[in-house]
Amino acid sequence: MIEFFHTKDRLRFLLFVGAIAVPILAVSAWVVSRMETSAAAEGEPNDKGGLHYRIQEKSGAKALPPALAGLIPVPPNTAMTDVSADTDGAGRLTSASIKAFSTDDFKTVAGFHRPTLAPVTDDTATTLAGVRYGYDIKILQESKFFDNDPYKDRTKIEYYVNPTKK
């Protein structure tokens, strides 16, 4: 195989093919990646007959899934970087988890959400939980940071949303 490239003409041909193929492959990979990201943000069918949403955006989700948007307002100075939500066949939220990073401390973020929860069921220095529109919402300050976390210098907050059990 290596003997094939011993002449300058054959080596030039290989470089010519590479110069054409590499940009085409790079653009194709970028297009496929954008399409997959877009499809995940718009929702993909799940086993409950509804949709599964997965948004991972370092700078923060531009928009939350429709079932989640009216339920969890985004606090100022906060980027929701990892959103995972599932809906049933009727479009009702069945579960959601969100990882967010804020330049504010947890007390400020909890103060933003506290008026929207009625009743508040748990309120500590690192936890706020309550009910809103028939959903249990739990907001936690997370102290563990992982290698793939985009911001290590901010307050890490996790949201968990589930329908209220009757």
Side-chain angles (χ1 to χ4, degrees):
M1 174 83 181
I2 294 187
E3 296 85 29
F4 180 80
F5 299 111
H6 279 267
T7 66
K8 287 184 183 181
D9 289 339
R10 289 181 177 172
L11 189 55
R12 232 182 268 139
F13 175 75
L14 175 68
L15 292 174
F16 178 71
V17 169
I20 292 172
V22 168
I24 291 172
L25 290 173
V27 168
S28 298
W30 179 77
V31 167
V32 168
S33 174
R34 296 297 290 172
M35 289 173 60
E36 286 176 350
T37 301
S38 177
E42 292 172 6
E44 299 171 336
N46 65 14
D47 59 348
K48 299 172 186 98
L51 296 174
H52 172 73
Y53 299 91
R54 182 65 191 257
I55 303 168
Q56 292 179 300
E57 192 67 45
K58 181 180 177 181
S59 60
K62 306 298 180 252
L64 294 176
L68 195 56
L71 193 59
I72 303 284
V74 181
N77 306 319
T78 301
M80 295 191 170
T81 60
D82 190 346
V83 179
S84 179
D86 283 296
T87 61
D88 62 11
R92 291 183 303 264
L93 193 66
T94 58
S95 68
S97 65
I98 303 169
K99 288 183 180 45
F101 295 88
S102 179
T103 55
D104 295 329
D105 60 359
F106 183 77
K107 184 178 179 181
T108 304
V109 174
F112 176 83
H113 288 292
R114 193 173 288 110
T116 66
L117 302 175
V120 172
T121 57
D122 189 6
D123 193 354
T124 67
T126 59
T127 305
L128 177 65
V131 177
R132 182 170 190 196
Y133 301 139
Y135 290 93
D136 290 322
I137 300 173
K138 189 171 192 174
I139 306 166
L140 305 165
Q141 178 181 357
E142 181 59 57
S143 58
K144 296 179 205 164
F145 286 88
F146 299 102
D147 291 338
N148 63 345
D149 285 339
Y151 303 106
K152 309 265 191 290
D153 59 336
R154 297 184 184 181
T155 305
K156 184 176 180 182
I157 302 160
E158 294 186 355
Y159 295 79
Y160 298 97
V161 181
N162 291 299
T164 303
K165 294 178 182 159
K166 296 178 183 187

